[in-house]
Amino acid sequence: MTSPSQALLAGLYSAFNAREIPALLAAMTPDVSWPNGWEGGVVHGRDEVARYWRRQWEQLDPTVVPTAFTAEADGRIAVTVHQVVRDKTGALLSDHTVTHVYRLHDGLVAEMEIREPA
């Protein structure tokens, strides 16, 4: 994996945790495909991703920290993340590790997939 890809993705997590939607969207293709890990399904495009995150952040306080980056044979990048989700009162809802798999296009995130542990 190239270091610019890792830097892009690490920046994505920093922006997510800081709730910086403009920075997040700037790292994505206009037609990005993003999993709706909270409600189910997939959202498409920057505007839908922004609406999804705003809805989520109104009710939840998720934090995701990358712990490993791995290049996959098909060119995608798998990122192991420690994910902690709290409700708005601070109560812990979830604390686990998942893998996010990214497909990049022209240096931007074109698609993300969530892989739950086996």
Side-chain angles (χ1 to χ4, degrees):
M1 175 178 44
T2 63
S3 121
S5 298
Q6 184 172 344
L8 171 80
L9 295 173
L12 197 71
Y13 288 103
S14 292
F16 179 86
N17 292 330
R19 309 299 187 249
E20 295 174 357
I21 288 178
L24 287 162
L25 299 179
M28 300 178 177
T29 62
D31 62 345
V32 65
S33 177
W34 197 266
N36 181 331
W38 176 44
E39 301 159 321
V42 176
V43 294
H44 299 278
R46 291 176 179 158
D47 290 342
E48 283 189 29
V49 170
R51 282 193 294 273
Y52 160 61
W53 280 331
R54 286 186 183 106
R55 282 193 317 275
Q56 182 186 76
W57 295 337
E58 285 174 359
Q59 297 183 35
L60 302 173
D61 185 20
T63 302
V64 287
V65 177
T67 59
F69 295 83
T70 307
E72 299 210 324
D74 65 1
R76 295 184 301 166
I77 301 166
V79 183
T80 304
V81 298
H82 178 217
Q83 179 174 289
V84 176
V85 181
R86 298 182 180 277
D87 70 14
K88 295 308 268 187
T89 69
L92 182 65
L93 301 174
S94 172
D95 182 346
H96 65 283
T97 299
V98 297
T99 302
H100 294 162
V101 183
Y102 295 90
R103 182 174 57 81
L104 303 180
H105 179 74
D106 290 337
L108 298 173
V109 174
E111 181 178 30
M112 197 266 263
E113 163 194 340
I114 300 171
R115 285 190 195 148
E116 295 292 336

